[in-house]
Amino acid sequence: MKLPHSRRRFIQGAIASSVATSGCSAQRSANTEAAASEVSTEPLELRINGRSHSCTVPPQETLARTLRDELELTGTKVGCNRGECGTCTVLIDGVPNYACSTLTHSVRGRNVTTIEGLRDADGALHPVQQAFIDELAPQCGFCTPGQVMVAVALLSENPDPSREEVRQALSGNICRCGAYEHYINGVLRAAKTAV
Amino acid sequence: MQDYKHIGKDFVPPDIAGKVTGEGKYTEDIHAEGMVFARLYTSPMPHGRVTRIDTSAIENMKGIVGVLTADDVPAPEVPDPPILTNHPVYLGEPILAVAAEHESIAEAALARIRVDIEPLPFVVDPLDSVVEGGPNARDEGNIFVRFGEGAGFHTVKWTPEQVAEFRAGKEPSGEFLQEWSYGDLEKGFADAEVILEEPFVTAGYPHMSMEPRTAMAYWEGDTCYVYASSQSQSYWMPGLAKLLDIEQDKLVLVSEYTGGGFGSKFAPYPAAALPGWFSKKVGRPVQLHISREQEFYIGSARAGFQGRIKIGFAKNGRVTAADVAIVEDIGPMTASGNTSAAGGAISVVYDPEAMRWRGLPVITNTTPRGAQRGPGQNQIAAVMAPLIDKAARLLGIDRLEIRKLNATDSSTTVYAEQAPVTSAYLEEALTKGAVEFDWANRSAAPRLRGNVVRGLGIGQAYHSTGVTGYDGLVRITPDGVVHLHSGVGNLGTYSYASVTRAAAEVLKCDWEDCVIHHGRTDRHLPWNSSQAGSNTTFTQTRTNYVAAVDAVAKMKSVAAESLGGSADDYEIDGERVFLRANSGRNMTYAAIAQRAIELGGAYSGQNAPEDINGVTRRAVQALSGTGLIGVAKDTLPQNGIIPGLAVAFVEIELDLETGKYNILDYACVAECGTVVHPQGLSAQMIGGAVWGMGMAGLEKHVYDPQNGLPAHVGFNQCRIPTYLDTPPAIRSSAVDLPDPQNPVGARGIGEPAMGCAAAAVMAAISDALDGHTFSRTPVTPDMIVNHVANRAMSFKPLQTNSF
């Protein structure tokens, strides 16, 4: 069974492109000292949801931070900030990534899609979003944007997945409410709808 | 009301769109103008005394706005949790907070502040404190009894021999401080054909809510606006006002979306009040960011059990006696007592003819404990299921039949006081589940395939699921809109919305004409119960019902006043009030609302009933004159325990070489009265199943006994279940028989939904291992491997909070 969005591929990508900020206070203060002092960087051109943004971003800032604080796109939630939960999943050139473990500078020249970018031109919900409503998939909703994004990526690569393929593809997204059954049902429903 | 318009049907809750679009705002998504960012400095050791705080290094640091210490906030009565402390009793306890213009500055400041802490003796395993010569986790003693007789701190020590006997599962002679019993225990055991005696351990572990509980606050004049992650809504008001030392009418709580709670956020917690104090001090809005690591520390956890149980069974499988003694790990502070509830759950699910429960709540320097999904009831369910199976095996009785024999029904009496239940249909649930799961054929199928063995398990669980005495509030405005005011919190169950369907049912209005008000207390919400204890569905369908009944009575009165006759001459339907004898004489709800405003008095909320709560009274006052107001306190009759019950059937495939098991199939049945919201019920059953699977196989506290450091802070270490830890499909259904003490027949379900899963998986593991009972949650692969290889376990008997 092909697993395009495997954890192995993600981990390889993450190591190549970023260093996750750790909880160690000494390292944290070194990073933030730089932020506190006025390090000037050239404005960065970012393509988010098909629009260009010009932002001044410190080199160690994560994409999650830039999206939420700089661009006020708070749809991407942060559950752990250390690459363990998948809540902050966004698409980078169509591939699911943890925004908390991606340096913003590393997405220069790439297309980032967040939860805010899924509605169509008329404002209609993406089939995955509508299907999640129809199946009452979200419970507390905090992991939901991440689940939506990875489901969107799956269906664009594999429009007719089996139940097991859905389960494997979404396995990088934790849900503490345990809504897995309804999420899987939602993805399968969206697959039928989109046909 | 049998042929329901709304009850028992699905609907689209108003908040779900915000979840799938990301537009729903959780506390950390919200920015107030001029907001500053606060970070906590937390204790690096499990028990200590702060001797010096030196902030001189940051006094002139650019961007620093202020520092908040324990001296700036009120100190509660020990051992209630403080907002900040100079005497930390657990690693991660907040000592001070720093606020800055940018969070990176606040973090940098934390590294420069110097805090001197004198280390004190600490405890991470209760039995290490209970043994003579063992340390106490707090200066005040090693035991804390929260309620009832003997409430307060104590010091209890057992001899090493008494501890050893407890670890061996023998009749404990050590002192317990709490006890209840019913029936004749001695006779019960004398009548028993089979007696089982076992020590058991159930691990405590953190809630790990997905949303770390960042909080924010600002003041407008003398009114404090608090943005927090809360399970409950109006229920938070008195406690939060007290934490902030203000009156309730000077407080607004905003909590429209909450990223999980599971018991950890049902009542206000100190971190939610910290921004209010800090904002008052620095004169700006303050956001207190809580990281994932800090959520582990302050986000609550389940109490741990080290216990011993003795159960007697008659020849036909009937439970004749149960005697359970539990040493409870209650963490460092006040915690809901779990162990009495555990005893209570045994009395409900298995209905022993005689019972004794004993408890000893021991303080440890581990993360604070609190209510966690079925606190006491669910961990004991996991212990009981394999023992019931063991008895069945010894007596030659089918495992399903022994459960049916002992099953709760509407005539069962429960708890120490042997109280009645409102209704119960546990046997029906078992029968339904067995058919759904094809128990008969699966039990007969072959078990072993090379190194892989199949195991089957049946689990049952219980929680009380309702309270009374809260208020309901509905309103109809002259545009014909029906406003349903819900004081229920939004933790992800959708019950804030589903319970209002009871009002819409009474009003016979279309759902499209209803608007639900919730999420912020300045939307004028009635006094509702906490969103905990699986109580909402029972409690708030009653409050919505009585408020709607009040509205209907008033509408008929208004119609009589306008059209003639008396109120009794009128009926309602199609959003009109009409004369029964001549339906042509009628008024629309809209017109009634307009007339109500003109008439004033109770009709429009100028007067309110005497018995409603102050929170509701203020809501009515604010809404006064805007339409027809229906408001009432729930004083409907209520007698006896309101049970929520659930059963589960599970099949696992266990690899004897690796100790790993996969859950192949799971079917569960809810026994919670009439189903109000089918998809919502399913969500609780599937979510509870995942929680139960986590308790059975994955989750536990792990502390290094040398230095008291927790080893399981992140999601990867404190393993919560992922998609791949749970079966590919979960089937749930419900008995759906109405409860006579609820106007729509409903009871609650959220907690038993978990306990039945934990119980079933534990039973399946035992079944796969020829009936071996570990009597310990979680059962981890190393335990299975060691058992299969006939080696000793890697921990000593009853050891807890360790690897």
Side-chain angles (χ1 to χ4, degrees):
Chain A
M1 173 174 53
K2 185 178 175 227
L3 296 173
H5 303 288
S6 68
R7 293 186 84 84
R8 182 184 297 274
R9 182 160 133 182
F10 157 70
I11 289 168
Q12 285 170 345
I15 291 169
S17 72
S18 70
V19 172
T21 48
S22 79
C24 165
S25 66
Q27 179 168 347
R28 191 191 323 148
S29 76
N31 290 342
T32 53
E33 286 277 63
S37 67
E38 283 163 51
V39 174
S40 75
T41 52
E42 286 185 17
L44 185 58
E45 290 301 309
L46 297 171
R47 275 195 73 72
I48 315 287
N49 300 327
R51 287 185 54 204
S52 281
H53 299 266
S54 185
C55 315
T56 304
V57 178
Q60 72 277 28
E61 185 167 292
T62 64
L63 181 57
R65 177 59 53 85
T66 307
L67 289 170
R68 288 177 53 79
D69 297 351
E70 181 72 26
L71 299 172
E72 292 177 14
L73 296 170
T74 58
T76 302
K77 314 298 180 190
V78 176
C80 71
N81 207 36
R82 46 190 290 182
E84 285 183 334
C85 73
T87 295
C88 65
T89 302
V90 298
L91 306 186
I92 301 174
D93 293 334
V95 175
N97 276 263
Y98 292 168
C100 75
S101 304
T102 304
L103 292 178
T104 307
H105 278 258
S106 75
V107 303
R108 178 195 288 121
R110 301 163 77 189
N111 288 309
V112 176
T113 313
T114 72
I115 188 81
E116 291 92 345
L118 292 187
R119 285 183 195 264
D120 72 13
D122 302 322
L125 295 177
H126 188 284
V128 167
Q129 291 172 310
Q130 186 58 53
F132 279 2
I133 290 175
D134 296 338
E135 292 291 333
L136 207 86
Q139 292 189 27
C140 82
F142 201 72
C143 79
T144 305
Q147 304 273 4
V148 171
M149 298 316 292
V150 69
V152 167
L154 169 67
L155 292 181
S156 66
E157 264 208 41
N158 181 356
D160 188 22
S162 67
R163 190 173 190 91
E164 185 57 24
E165 284 172 328
V166 174
R167 186 170 172 251
Q168 294 287 338
L170 268 56
S171 63
N173 290 67
I174 295 182
C175 170
R176 187 39 160 173
C177 295
Y180 302 126
E181 171 77 12
H182 286 192
Y183 277 123
I184 296 173
N185 293 346
V187 177
L188 294 172
R189 185 182 187 128
K192 282 204 213 65
T193 316
V195 162
Chain B
M1 292 190 284
Q2 278 313 309
D3 219 355
Y4 292 117
K5 192 173 162 68
H6 303 296
I7 301 296
K9 300 186 166 69
D10 287 319
F11 65 100
V12 181
D15 66 314
I16 196 172
K19 291 169 178 173
V20 302
T21 59
E23 286 159 16
K25 299 243 181 278
Y26 300 77
T27 301
E28 196 157 313
D29 300 332
I30 298 167
H31 282 228
E33 202 173 314
M35 189 170 83
V36 299
F37 299 87
R39 288 286 201 272
L40 287 173
Y41 175 84
T42 63
S43 174
M45 61 184 77
H47 190 197
R49 193 169 289 119
V50 173
T51 54
R52 187 165 76 116
I53 296 176
D54 180 359
T55 59
S56 54
I58 66 164
E59 253 150 46
N60 297 313
M61 193 168 157
K62 185 177 171 203
I64 292 293
V65 171
V67 175
L68 197 76
T69 69
D71 299 332
D72 297 315
V73 293
E77 197 180 314
V78 170
D80 282 350
I83 296 172
L84 293 168
T85 186
N86 285 325
H87 186 162
V89 286
Y90 66 96
L91 198 149
E93 183 163 17
I95 291 174
L96 61 86
V98 176
E101 299 284 357
H102 192 277
E103 42 209 331
S104 59
I105 300 171
E107 282 176 15
L110 286 177
R112 293 189 191 171
I113 290 174
R114 187 192 159 109
V115 180
D116 293 347
I117 309 176
E118 177 202 328
L120 296 174
F122 65 88
V123 173
V124 295
D125 184 323
L127 290 179
D128 292 344
S129 177
V130 165
V131 74
E132 259 165 14
N136 289 355
R138 294 192 74 121
D139 299 344
E140 298 90 348
N142 70 342
I143 308 291
F144 182 76
V145 174
R146 194 178 180 202
F147 293 124
E149 209 182 298
F153 285 102
H154 302 268
T155 298
V156 170
K157 299 291 179 183
W158 295 358
T159 66
E161 292 73 34
Q162 287 175 321
V163 173
E165 126 200 296
F166 191 60
R167 288 192 197 276
K170 300 208 178 79
E171 172 75 37
S173 60
E175 185 186 6
F176 286 83
L177 290 189
Q178 300 167 297
E179 178 173 332
W180 53 253
S181 61
Y182 67 81
D184 185 341
L185 203 66
E186 216 178 289
K187 179 178 188 302
F189 284 120
D191 291 346
E193 175 79 12
V194 159
I195 294 179
L196 303 177
E197 294 176 75
E198 292 221 8
F200 63 89
V201 173
T202 63
Y205 55 90
H207 291 59
M208 306 296 270
S209 304
M210 214 69 212
E211 179 205 5
R213 60 195 64 197
T214 293
M216 192 267 281
Y218 55 80
W219 295 78
E220 278 181 10
D222 59 358
T223 297
C224 190
Y225 286 76
V226 174
Y227 293 69
S229 186
S230 165
Q231 284 175 234
S232 310
Q233 191 74 50
S234 55
Y235 184 83
W236 260 42
M237 296 301 277
L240 184 59
K242 185 154 178 261
L243 280 172
L244 290 166
D245 203 16
I246 58 179
E247 295 301 314
Q248 285 185 52
D249 61 350
K250 299 295 182 196
L251 172 62
V252 173
L253 168 66
V254 180
S255 186
E256 295 183 283
Y257 289 86
T258 293
F262 315 109
S264 70
K265 301 172 181 170
F266 82 88
Y269 46 85
L274 189 152
W277 286 100
F278 215 168
S279 180
K280 190 189 266 187
K281 182 171 184 183
V282 301
R284 293 175 63 179
V286 174
Q287 181 202 78
L288 174 67
H289 167 80
I290 299 296
S291 66
R292 170 53 46 191
E293 181 185 354
Q294 289 165 349
E295 176 65 20
F296 167 87
Y297 298 135
I298 70 170
S300 196
R302 185 177 294 269
F305 286 178
Q306 290 155 307
R308 185 258 187 179
I309 188 160
K310 180 178 173 185
I311 321 175
F313 296 82
K315 198 153 174 206
N316 67 351
R318 182 80 181 89
V319 179
T320 56
D323 187 11
V324 63
I326 303 176
V327 169
E328 184 181 12
D329 179 354
I330 63 165
M333 292 170 177
T334 50
S336 320
N338 278 210
T339 68
S340 179
I346 297 174
S347 84
V348 175
V349 177
Y350 300 103
D351 189 27
E353 284 164 5
M355 238 199 104
R356 177 173 65 162
W357 162 81
R358 288 181 290 170
L360 184 67
V362 180
I363 306 169
T364 64
N365 302 107
T366 59
T367 58
R369 313 307 171 94
Q372 186 191 92
R373 202 161 190 171
Q377 300 91 346
N378 282 351
Q379 54 264 55
I380 210 68
V383 170
M384 290 296 292
L387 295 178
I388 299 295
D389 290 351
K390 189 177 242 182
R393 208 169 265 113
L394 289 168
L395 293 165
I397 298 173
D398 176 77
R399 297 191 279 151
L400 177 63
E401 293 312 310
I402 196 174
R403 286 169 163 82
K404 283 186 182 177
L405 177 67
N406 288 292
T408 332
D409 63 29
S410 301
S411 69
T412 306
T413 54
V414 300
Y415 290 175
E417 58 268 30
Q418 290 293 280
V421 296
T422 55
S423 69
Y425 304 102
L426 189 53
E427 185 173 344
E428 286 82 345
L430 286 163
T431 302
K432 191 177 172 73
V435 166
E436 179 69 34
F437 192 72
D438 196 17
W439 171 258
N441 285 325
R442 279 199 216 221
S443 317
R447 298 302 196 87
L448 191 60
R449 179 173 55 83
N451 275 314
V452 173
V453 60
R454 286 170 61 244
L456 297 175
I458 307 173
Q460 300 152 266
Y462 153 81
H463 198 282
S464 67
T465 61
V467 289
T468 62
Y470 289 87
D471 301 335
L473 177 59
V474 301
R475 177 170 66 114
I476 303 174
T477 41
D479 54 2
V481 173
V482 175
H483 301 262
L484 306 169
H485 289 255
S486 183
V488 172
N490 185 11
L491 67 157
T493 61
Y494 301 106
S495 58
Y496 80 87
S498 60
V499 295
T500 67
R501 309 260 287 170
E505 194 73 46
V506 170
L507 292 167
K508 298 188 182 176
C509 55
D510 292 335
W511 190 242
E512 294 67 45
D513 297 329
C514 297
V515 167
I516 300 175
H517 298 266
H518 74 109
R520 297 177 58 114
T521 57
D522 56 359
R523 289 191 179 133
H524 318 304
L525 310 177
W527 176 237
N528 280 173
S529 61
S530 68
Q531 272 55 75
S534 309
N535 89 90
T536 306
T537 297
F538 177 91
T539 310
Q540 256 69 237
T541 45
R542 282 170 56 122
T543 56
N544 275 279
Y545 174 86
V546 298
V549 163
D550 182 60
V552 170
K554 284 171 175 164
M555 288 201 291
K556 289 180 177 178
S557 230
V558 169
E561 191 269 348
S562 295
L563 302 178
S566 75
D568 292 338
D569 300 330
Y570 286 83
E571 292 283 8
I572 61 166
D573 205 349
E575 298 181 17
R576 286 172 185 272
V577 185
F578 61 91
L579 199 58
R580 195 179 299 110
N582 175 11
S583 64
R585 289 185 73 70
N586 65 68
M587 289 172 72
T588 62
Y589 281 9
I592 296 270
Q594 179 56 45
R595 190 73 193 119
I597 293 171
E598 291 156 14
L599 291 170
Y603 296 123
S604 71
Q606 285 177 343
N607 304 330
E610 289 296 308
D611 58 356
I612 61 174
N613 183 279
V615 170
T616 315
R617 188 175 305 284
R618 279 189 291 281
V620 171
Q621 274 162 4
L623 295 170
S624 163
T626 64
L628 184 292
I629 304 280
V631 57
K633 176 175 174 163
D634 166 23
T635 56
L636 296 175
Q638 206 281 301
N639 171 51
I641 307 300
I642 306 143
L645 297 158
V647 307
F649 291 73
V650 74
E651 178 175 348
I652 67 170
E653 194 175 64
L654 186 151
D655 188 323
L656 295 167
E657 276 193 335
T658 65
K660 177 104 169 56
Y661 61 88
N662 286 320
I663 302 172
L664 300 180
D665 196 14
Y666 180 93
C668 54
V669 182
E671 203 289 88
C672 56
T674 303
V675 177
V676 173
H677 181 199
Q679 282 181 322
L681 173 62
S682 174
Q684 288 306 298
M685 295 306 285
I686 62 158
V690 173
W691 267 78
M693 292 165 190
M695 168 182 267
L698 295 171
E699 302 184 55
K700 63 179 190 178
H701 265 339
V702 177
Y703 279 83
D704 183 335
Q706 288 220 125
N707 50 34
L709 257 63
H712 59 305
V713 174
F715 281 123
N716 280 353
Q717 299 99 341
C718 185
R719 253 324 237 100
I720 71 173
T722 69
Y723 278 92
L724 301 183
D725 297 306
T726 53
I730 290 177
R731 288 170 284 149
S732 78
S733 59
V735 173
D736 205 10
L737 289 172
D739 187 280
Q741 293 195 29
N742 179 283
V744 299
R747 298 190 247 105
I749 197 58
E751 288 163 293
M754 169 190 175
C756 62
V761 173
M762 290 293 285
I765 294 169
S766 170
D767 184 49
L769 297 172
D770 294 321
H772 174 73
T773 52
F774 290 104
S775 288
R776 174 183 279 263
T777 63
V779 175
T780 48
D782 61 294
M783 290 165 62
I784 294 172
V785 166
N786 280 333
H787 165 72
V788 169
N790 237 329
R791 284 198 297 265
M793 294 292 129
S794 61
F795 41 79
K796 67 183 177 196
L798 293 198
Q799 186 175 357
T800 195
N801 290 340
S802 63
F803 284 103

